[in-house]
Amino acid sequence: MKEITLTDQEKTLRQLLLDVADYIGTQDGCKKPELRITGGWVRDKLLGITSHDIDIGIDTMTGYKFGTLMKQYLGDSKRQAKYGEDVLGGLAKIEANPEKSKHLETVATKILGLEIDLVNLRKEVYAEDSRNPAMEFGTPVEDALRRDSTVNSLFYNLSTSQIEDLTERGLQDMALGVIRTPLSPYQTFKDDPLRVLRCIRFASKLGYSIDPEAEQAMSDPSIKEALRAKISRERVGIEVEKMLKGPRPYYALSLIDRLGLYNTIFTDPSQTRAGFVDTSKWKRACDHLSYLLGDIVADKELNSALQTIRGTLVASSQDAYLVWLLCALTPWTKVKDLVKGNTNTKKSLPMAAAVAREGLKADNKSINVIKDAVLHYEEVIASKDALANEARSVPIPTKRKQPALSREGLGMSVRRWGPHWRSTVIYAMLVESLNMEGNPDRYLLVLDYNAWLTHIKHLDLLEAHAMKPIVDGKQLMRAFGKKSGGPWLVAALNMIMEWQLRNTANNSQEEAIAEVKERRKELGID
């Protein structure tokens, strides 16, 4: 039997919990509980992965009662001194919500600085006329069997310091690298459809395959409908975010595609006419992003181009998450209609951004990144194509004359695309990849975008969106004798910025204002 080695902090936690269990056993009407660490922590410890998320399974009482008695135990100053100050944080009770497949009350707290969930072992009892289970205290075996996968059903008994594989498949499936449900896959997913997404997430996190019988059940139309109707979109969004921030987002999206789950997950439930989107070419976008962010390739020219693109456009793990989210939404690109918000405070959005807002409950920053990408990607493609076409006809960069490719023209474009322009460029590449047939097309696409980004970098425009005008609105109003702004002032400030972009070595406010005055007719000012 495999063994788990505890850190010093975990050893102290174990001893504290055992001491609390002994104390509870001395209280009137209480039976001493047997405590186990359940689920993911056990799996991760066996895999050598650091885990800060610890679930404590309790066999004789609820997590809230255990936490309350633990607080009572630590009320004695001598006992608390044994473990140090601030041993136990507040107890946050998270209520069950069966209608949204949140069947279990849990208590979240901090013990010795570790994030701990306290929960009773349980079993799920389903009535024939209800889709929601009644939660009852269960045995360790019953608790293990009701979980989403065998590798998440391993327990660590705090009293014996032994791993318990009560499904009799968990350790074997870890060795095989397989995600398998402890019980019938169909019934497992029907009881709690969120388990479909959890199985995909853990398969992608661990690099495991999914058992064929489980895959078949995940693809079943009735399971898809249960996932769409029964699970809150917040919980769907949380699982998708964890997939895309995990180590293998490409694998997660590939599973979603292969299992036919796209229109169940990436949908706007508030739009009754949203329908289903065509995903027949989606794999091309996923393949291309994996290629862009992947390993070194043999071709030196191509490898250099890929490194330039990665280094310029994807600088952080958050950037990587956002471009994978954009990749996930590329099938909605061609749906041009703006979707109205369902409240007065929600703005109209392109369909892809609406799916993120309503279907995934994404945060506002992510929604804005998606909105900007959908609204501006065609301009990016046009700009890239203009340079590629001109480069083929005019090999010498200094002789190229297109205004859109000048420092002024490109700088104003970058400013129009906004602070998320780098993500918009990736999105443009992914949209173009939807119509690519193979590696030759991909090769040329990478080289063209690399040349375009190199041109932008040569013109020192990577941060053009953040440039501040050397003349502000108040100065312009004084220069024109105006007491208020309006559209003319916005246009005038753009003229100031155009002048700045052209005159890189000149910061003269007077000359900048003089140019605006020369163009006053364009502003509608006499």
Side-chain angles (χ1 to χ4, degrees):
M1 175 68 74
K2 291 188 175 183
E3 294 185 356
I4 284 177
T5 301
L6 301 180
T7 66
D8 290 343
Q9 188 180 28
E10 290 165 346
K11 288 176 183 176
T12 304
L13 173 66
R14 172 181 174 271
Q15 189 57 56
L16 170 60
L17 292 172
L18 290 176
D19 289 346
V20 173
D22 288 338
Y23 169 76
I24 290 172
T26 67
Q27 302 303 295
D28 290 342
C30 293
K31 181 182 177 182
K32 176 183 174 180
E34 187 169 20
L35 305 177
R36 295 169 170 84
I37 301 181
T38 64
W41 179 90
V42 183
R43 177 203 67 230
D44 287 347
K45 290 290 282 188
L46 289 171
L47 292 172
I49 301 172
T50 301
S51 179
H52 302 290
D53 185 13
I54 302 176
D55 296 343
I56 305 297
I58 307 159
D59 66 343
T60 60
M61 62 184 61
T62 66
Y64 189 74
K65 184 173 183 181
F66 181 88
T68 302
L69 289 168
M70 183 177 186
K71 205 165 189 176
Q72 180 179 306
Y73 169 78
L74 290 170
D76 184 296
S77 59
K78 291 182 180 179
R79 292 175 185 146
Q80 190 174 59
K82 179 179 177 181
Y83 300 101
E85 296 181 359
D86 300 323
V87 178
L88 179 65
L91 303 177
K93 184 188 288 189
I94 303 169
E95 301 289 351
N97 184 1
E99 286 300 321
K100 295 299 182 182
S101 204
K102 176 67 177 173
H103 304 307
L104 181 65
E105 174 194 292
T106 59
V107 170
T109 188
K110 265 195 173 183
I111 305 176
L112 299 171
L114 295 168
E115 301 287 345
I116 307 291
D117 282 354
L118 303 171
V119 63
N120 59 281
L121 299 179
R122 65 272 188 202
K123 62 180 178 180
E124 298 168 350
V125 180
Y126 287 83
E128 289 185 5
D129 59 348
S130 174
R131 69 183 184 184
N132 296 320
M135 301 304 299
E136 298 180 0
F137 279 91
T139 66
V141 171
E142 289 170 333
D143 190 274
L145 292 175
R146 61 152 201 93
R147 292 174 177 264
D148 51 36
S149 62
T150 57
V151 300
N152 288 341
S153 299
L154 299 168
F155 295 163
Y156 176 75
N157 190 306
L158 293 182
S159 297
T160 65
S161 297
Q162 295 294 312
I163 297 169
E164 297 174 340
D165 185 3
L166 302 178
T167 68
E168 299 181 353
R169 294 297 301 267
L171 292 172
Q172 179 183 346
D173 285 341
M174 281 187 67
L176 294 172
V178 174
I179 297 294
R180 188 193 319 274
T181 58
L183 299 175
S184 156
Y186 181 85
Q187 195 59 49
T188 296
F189 300 136
K190 193 72 173 176
D191 289 347
D192 185 355
L194 187 68
R195 291 168 178 161
V196 170
L197 300 185
R198 285 176 57 82
C199 283
I200 292 173
R201 173 160 67 87
F202 286 115
S204 64
K205 175 182 178 178
L206 303 172
Y208 287 4
S209 63
I210 298 178
D211 172 59
E213 187 180 354
E215 284 199 356
Q216 183 177 1
M218 293 162 82
S219 301
D220 188 283
S222 64
I223 297 299
K224 293 179 187 179
E225 180 54 33
L227 177 57
R228 180 191 287 263
K230 192 175 179 181
I231 305 301
S232 74
R233 301 314 297 190
E234 288 86 355
R235 300 191 78 195
V236 170
I238 288 169
E239 289 298 322
V240 170
E241 181 175 348
K242 288 180 178 179
M243 292 177 202
L244 300 185
K245 286 184 174 179
R248 299 174 186 85
Y250 173 79
Y251 183 30
L253 295 182
S254 296
L255 286 171
I256 289 170
D257 186 33
R258 181 158 57 80
L259 297 173
L261 290 165
Y262 186 91
N263 282 292
T264 301
I265 297 169
F266 298 105
T267 186
D268 179 358
S270 70
Q271 298 297 312
T272 56
R273 294 188 298 168
F276 291 85
V277 70
D278 178 19
T279 60
S280 59
K281 295 181 179 180
W282 181 42
K283 185 177 183 300
R284 296 179 182 179
C286 297
D287 288 347
H288 190 67
L289 184 55
S290 178
Y291 178 72
L292 289 177
L293 304 182
D295 297 328
I296 295 173
V297 297
D299 186 288
K300 288 185 178 180
E301 182 184 22
L302 183 59
N303 189 61
S304 176
L306 287 169
Q307 288 189 17
T308 296
I309 290 170
R310 292 170 197 152
T312 305
L313 302 180
V314 189
S316 67
S317 58
Q318 180 66 13
D319 291 341
Y321 160 69
L322 288 171
V323 296
W324 277 112
L325 181 59
L326 286 167
C327 179
L329 296 166
T330 50
W332 288 105
T333 301
K334 298 304 180 183
V335 181
K336 297 295 186 181
D337 295 340
L338 291 178
V339 177
K340 292 183 179 179
N342 53 17
T343 67
N344 291 333
T345 60
K346 289 186 176 181
K347 297 180 179 179
S348 296
L349 293 172
M351 189 64 194
V355 168
R357 181 176 68 188
E358 304 298 338
L360 302 177
K361 298 300 179 183
D363 60 83
N364 288 333
K365 179 182 177 181
S366 299
I367 294 167
N368 286 332
V369 169
I370 297 161
K371 179 195 70 175
D372 288 350
V374 176
L375 293 179
H376 297 303
Y377 79 90
E378 290 176 319
E379 293 180 33
V380 170
I381 293 172
S383 179
K384 178 268 303 179
D385 285 345
L387 180 66
N389 293 333
E390 189 174 61
R392 293 180 184 112
S393 59
V394 185
I396 302 173
T398 56
K399 293 187 177 181
R400 296 174 191 163
K401 301 298 183 182
Q402 281 203 54
L405 299 175
S406 67
R407 190 170 195 274
E408 174 187 344
L410 264 177
M412 293 304 290
S413 292
V414 170
R415 292 180 64 78
R416 186 168 58 255
W417 302 333
H420 314 303
W421 74 271
R422 290 172 170 86
S423 296
T424 300
V425 175
I426 291 282
Y427 188 72
M429 295 183 74
L430 298 179
V431 172
E432 288 204 78
S433 73
L434 293 172
N435 296 314
M436 293 189 318
E437 295 295 336
N439 286 333
D441 289 344
R442 179 182 294 163
Y443 185 99
L444 290 174
L445 188 69
V446 168
L447 294 183
D448 282 350
Y449 271 95
N450 174 60
W452 182 73
L453 286 170
T454 300
H455 181 60
I456 290 176
K457 188 180 295 187
H458 176 72
L459 295 175
D460 192 23
L461 293 174
L462 294 179
E463 300 302 321
H465 62 281
M467 287 178 64
K468 301 295 183 184
I470 60 173
V471 177
D472 63 27
K474 289 182 180 179
Q475 290 172 294
L476 282 170
M477 284 192 288
R478 284 197 299 270
F480 283 91
K482 298 289 186 180
K483 295 182 178 180
S484 62
W488 77 269
L489 183 58
V490 175
L493 286 170
N494 282 335
M495 289 178 182
I496 292 291
M497 185 54 62
E498 289 168 0
W499 185 92
Q500 280 181 241
L501 288 165
R502 282 197 310 276
N503 297 276
T504 56
N506 187 350
N507 290 321
S508 170
Q509 293 180 333
E510 293 77 11
E511 291 184 31
I513 292 173
E515 171 158 319
V516 177
K517 287 183 174 180
E518 289 178 8
R519 300 172 61 186
R520 62 191 306 144
K521 287 186 178 180
E522 297 176 42
L523 302 175
I525 298 175
D526 297 330

